[in-house]
């Protein structure tokens, strides 16, 4: 005999399910960008804060397939949206790396220091764990 249990579905069930799914997508996009390892591919390393600020100043960092749009301000603030939800955070430049921590509508994204590379003024790539991990590339608009 097969027994099934009725599942109680509340509006919160949908919210928590959506948060779990969106979290996986958002965090994956920020740290993995389709799970591809960082390769040179015409990117040049940004190793100082002033070059980084010049690259992102007055620009929006966009990762369209995940609905991510961020601005990184010179004063250390990060703000934007991902999959329709607010993203906030702070950053600092430390020992040649972009170190950030963020919050995605109440879900904390822990601090991580990342290698930053740019391809012209059109694309910027962040590689987690000081360049040892996965990467995410954003279009600069």
């Amino acid at each position: 005999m097969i027994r099934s249990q009725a599942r109680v579905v509340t509006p919160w069930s949908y919210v928590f399910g959506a948060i779990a799914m969106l979290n996986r997508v958002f965090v994956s996009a920020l740290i993995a960008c389709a799970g591809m390892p960082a390769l040179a591919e015409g990117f040049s390393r940004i190793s100082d804060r002033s070059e980084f600020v010049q690259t992102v100043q007055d620009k929006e960092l966009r990762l369209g397939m995940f609905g991510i749009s961020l601005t990184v301000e010179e004063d250390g603030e990060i703000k934007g949206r991902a999959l329709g939800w607010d993203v906030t955070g702070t950053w600092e430049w430390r020992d040649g790396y972009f170190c950030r921590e963020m919050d995605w509508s109440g879900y904390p994204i822990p601090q991580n220091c990342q290698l930053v590379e740019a391809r012209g003024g059109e694309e910027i790539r962040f590689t987690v764990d000081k360049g040892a991990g996965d990467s995410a590339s954003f279009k600069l608009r």
Side-chain angles (χ1 to χ4, degrees), residues 12 36 62 66 96 99-100 124:
W12 287 111
M36 296 170 48
R62 299 187 72 200
F66 295 105
C99 300
R100 61 90 183 117
I124 192 165

Side-chain angles (χ1 to χ4, degrees), residues 12-25 83 85 104:
W12 287 111
S13 300
Y14 291 112
V15 170
F16 291 127
I19 289 171
M21 182 212 46
L22 293 175
N23 174 51
R24 286 190 294 272
V25 169
L83 298 171
W85 294 23
W104 180 46

Side-chain angles (χ1 to χ4, degrees), residues 18-122:
I19 289 171
M21 182 212 46
L22 293 175
N23 174 51
R24 286 190 294 272
V25 169
F26 180 66
V27 172
S28 294
L30 287 179
I31 65 174
C33 192
M36 296 170 48
L39 301 172
E41 302 169 8
F43 282 87
S44 299
R45 180 170 182 180
I46 296 176
S47 57
D48 69 36
R49 184 184 193 283
S50 62
E51 184 181 0
F52 174 74
V53 169
Q54 183 178 2
T55 301
V56 299
Q57 191 168 10
D58 300 323
K59 300 213 173 137
E60 184 178 57
L61 285 68
R62 299 187 72 200
L63 188 55
M65 73 167 40
F66 295 105
I68 299 171
S69 175
L70 302 170
T71 58
V72 179
E73 305 292 336
E74 184 175 6
D75 67 0
E77 183 180 15
I78 299 170
K79 56 187 173 181
R81 295 187 62 81
L83 298 171
W85 294 23
D86 289 336
V87 175
T88 58
T90 58
W91 71 274
E92 65 180 337
W93 198 262
R94 189 181 324 139
D95 300 324
Y97 296 95
F98 172 80
C99 300
R100 61 90 183 117
E101 61 184 335
M102 297 187 297
D103 179 276
W104 180 46
S105 290
Y107 185 85
I109 300 171
Q111 185 181 52
N112 189 276
C113 292
Q114 304 176 357
L115 172 74
V116 181
E117 301 166 290
R119 181 168 30 203
E122 299 175 8

